[in-house]
Amino acid sequence: MPRKVDADERRRHVVEALFRVAVRDGLARASLRTVADEAGLNIGSLRHYFASQSDLMRFAMRAMLEQVGERMRHGLADLAGQRGAPAAQRIRTAGKLLGELLPLDDVRRAEVTVFLDFAALARTRPDLHDLADEAARGSRTAVRRILAYVTGLSPRARALDVETERLLSLLDGLGINAVLHPDLVTADDAVRVVDAHLRALAR
Amino acid sequence: MPRKVDADERRRHVVEALFRVAVRDGLARASLRTVADEAGLNIGSLRHYFASQSDLMRFAMRAMLEQVGERMRHGLADLAGQRGAPAAQRIRTAGKLLGELLPLDDVRRAEVTVFLDFAALARTRPDLHDLADEAARGSRTAVRRILAYVTGLSPRARALDVETERLLSLLDGLGINAVLHPDLVTADDAVRVVDAHLRALAR
DNA sequence: CGAAAGCTATCACAGCTGTGATAGAAAGGT
DNA sequence: ACCTTTCTATCACAGCTGTGATAGCTTTCG
């Protein structure tokens, strides 16, 4: 069975092309043809790796979610070892961790930008429902764990219900506004807002 | 100059049709043809009132922004008369007012839903930039005034900078999450979160 | 009445889209 | 060498899209 090219490598390459198109022109314009062009591939080749548009979209979104999830998991793992740290330091590490969900550099800016389009699109695309739900649940439990770390409460504490939703919505809105209105909300602004929230929470 | 039909009435009718399509299938599918069908009009008739797709889109968004803005203005006007009210009551009226930006009933749910699509679309559509900016600035000053009312500070106070961004992002994220994941965030949840934020703020 | 303006309806066209089908080229195992 | 599988490249088709042009209807004014 001949295989001169690494299929996984190719798929990654295509996903990167899709991201560039989506950031530049919007996810709606990331068609098979435009993505193939951006990747320097013929549409026939692209379709050899992705059977349909839905396949391509799902694969790309999965790749993004796993990329963010991986970073989050790494950060969360480090959390266990410093449960007794002073409040000021816990707030700092929590802020650093939550920053993974904010557009603080080009990579994360692209992630948030594409995710915004993706979330909006998934609302009316049944084939994307499961991924959108998975993302929503994943970010919720991550934020909840971070809140448990900051407050010292158990992750199962009822008191974290509204606080989780509060912080998560804050992060989502902050990221979106930073992406949509970079002149009104800079990366520094976003960090300041999260920091203020955590400090207010620690009282 | 013959005018058997009221043009403004017609335009409102078309905008309502656009909203129904956008809520149901997404703003991207609100084409001239689908909107004309939804409104029970021929595409030729529709194009007599809206010269281009951009015209239709801009008119519909303007109508929505003015609708929300009108409600906000009314609420903000009532605020001036109760500047000396007890904290608990000020929080309640502030919450009521901020609720105008949340999907707490069918009308506001439609507004937030369409606005999400609109904001995402405007990012890559130069002809919508001005409207998106106007909306962003408008909601910011409204939230800032409400915060001034709650805290007793001047609307021009530097201390309100981060608090405004914090509350506004919270509202945006909350509305979006309530629209995208109604099973995870109900209308009651949203109200509870805003209330918790305001109470934490009043300390 | 007649003319003019507002309004409705339809055709045509170019440019997209996803997808099915198919034909070659390239490469590795036997 | 040959054959099989992978991969690349095209063509064709139906279904959308916005938009220009145009013809005909309807209503109201002079």
Side-chain angles (χ1 to χ4, degrees):
Chain A
M1 52 284 262
R3 180 175 301 181
K4 71 170 173 188
V5 303
D6 184 354
D8 291 343
E9 235 282 324
R10 267 270 202 271
R11 280 185 239 265
R12 266 193 296 272
H13 180 68
V14 171
V15 166
E16 282 172 17
L18 182 143
F19 265 67
R20 285 196 298 274
V21 173
V23 168
R24 191 196 323 126
D25 304 323
L27 192 59
R29 285 194 179 80
S31 67
L32 293 178
R33 283 173 175 85
T34 60
V35 172
D37 286 357
E38 177 75 29
L41 291 177
N42 186 287
I43 185 180
S45 302
L46 194 148
R47 290 187 61 202
H48 183 256
Y49 298 97
F50 301 97
S52 68
Q53 196 268 356
S54 182
D55 259 36
L56 169 59
M57 194 77 95
R58 287 179 58 83
F59 188 91
M61 292 311 124
R62 218 170 231 315
M64 181 185 83
L65 297 183
E66 281 181 8
Q67 179 175 295
V68 177
E70 193 61 24
R71 288 206 311 266
M72 261 306 189
R73 251 184 299 280
H74 267 94
L76 285 172
D78 296 348
L79 235 59
Q82 355 179 332
R83 206 165 313 173
Q89 186 185 330
R90 283 188 302 181
I91 286 181
R92 220 178 26 227
T93 66
K96 202 87 171 166
L97 204 39
L98 293 172
E100 294 296 343
L101 298 178
L102 292 175
L104 302 183
D105 60 15
D106 288 354
V107 172
R108 284 173 281 185
R109 166 161 252 101
E111 287 170 354
V112 174
T113 303
V114 174
F115 184 76
L116 170 61
D117 273 15
F118 168 70
L121 187 64
R123 184 180 69 85
T124 53
R125 288 256 312 232
D127 60 322
L128 301 179
H129 278 9
D130 58 337
L131 287 177
D133 266 36
E134 185 184 318
R137 293 179 197 280
S139 58
R140 250 165 200 79
T141 70
V143 167
R144 181 176 267 261
R145 277 186 199 155
I146 294 172
L147 273 175
Y149 167 76
V150 169
T151 63
L153 295 170
S154 159
R156 275 170 294 285
R158 258 301 199 231
L160 287 185
D161 285 358
V162 312
E163 288 307 327
T164 297
E165 202 55 53
R166 182 153 82 116
L167 179 50
L168 179 63
S169 287
L170 173 63
L171 288 167
D172 288 340
L174 204 52
I176 289 172
N177 281 328
V179 158
L180 296 183
H181 308 286
D183 49 328
L184 297 179
V185 186
T186 67
D188 284 350
D189 290 337
V191 170
R192 263 191 287 274
V193 169
V194 171
D195 210 60
H197 189 83
L198 291 177
R199 275 189 284 110
L201 217 63
R203 292 190 303 137
Chain B
M1 52 290 255
R3 180 175 299 181
K4 72 168 174 188
V5 304
D6 184 356
D8 290 344
E9 236 282 322
R10 266 273 203 269
R11 280 184 238 264
R12 266 194 295 273
H13 180 68
V14 170
V15 166
E16 282 173 18
L18 181 143
F19 265 66
R20 286 195 298 273
V21 173
V23 168
R24 192 195 325 126
D25 304 323
L27 192 59
R29 286 194 178 80
S31 67
L32 293 179
R33 283 173 176 84
T34 60
V35 171
D37 286 356
E38 177 76 28
L41 291 177
N42 186 286
I43 185 179
S45 302
L46 192 148
R47 289 187 61 202
H48 183 257
Y49 298 97
F50 302 98
S52 68
Q53 196 267 356
S54 183
D55 260 36
L56 170 59
M57 195 76 97
R58 286 179 58 83
F59 188 91
M61 290 312 126
R62 221 172 228 314
M64 182 184 83
L65 297 183
E66 282 182 8
Q67 179 175 295
V68 177
E70 194 60 23
R71 288 206 311 265
M72 260 307 189
R73 252 184 298 279
H74 266 94
L76 285 172
D78 295 349
L79 234 59
Q82 352 179 334
R83 206 165 311 173
Q89 186 186 331
R90 284 188 301 181
I91 285 180
R92 223 183 17 231
T93 66
K96 203 88 172 166
L97 205 39
L98 292 172
E100 294 295 343
L101 298 177
L102 292 175
L104 302 183
D105 60 16
D106 288 354
V107 172
R108 285 173 280 184
R109 164 160 253 104
E111 287 170 355
V112 174
T113 304
V114 174
F115 183 76
L116 169 61
D117 273 16
F118 169 72
L121 186 64
R123 184 180 68 86
T124 54
R125 289 255 313 232
D127 61 322
L128 302 179
H129 279 9
D130 58 338
L131 287 177
D133 266 37
E134 184 184 320
R137 294 180 196 280
S139 59
R140 249 165 202 79
T141 71
V143 167
R144 181 177 268 262
R145 276 185 200 157
I146 295 172
L147 273 174
Y149 167 75
V150 169
T151 63
L153 294 170
S154 160
R156 276 169 293 285
R158 257 309 196 226
L160 288 184
D161 285 359
V162 311
E163 288 306 327
T164 298
E165 201 54 53
R166 181 154 80 115
L167 179 50
L168 180 63
S169 287
L170 173 63
L171 287 168
D172 287 341
L174 204 51
I176 289 173
N177 282 327
V179 159
L180 296 183
H181 308 284
D183 49 328
L184 296 179
V185 186
T186 67
D188 284 349
D189 290 337
V191 170
R192 262 190 288 274
V193 169
V194 171
D195 210 62
H197 189 83
L198 291 176
R199 275 189 284 110
L201 217 63
R203 292 191 301 137

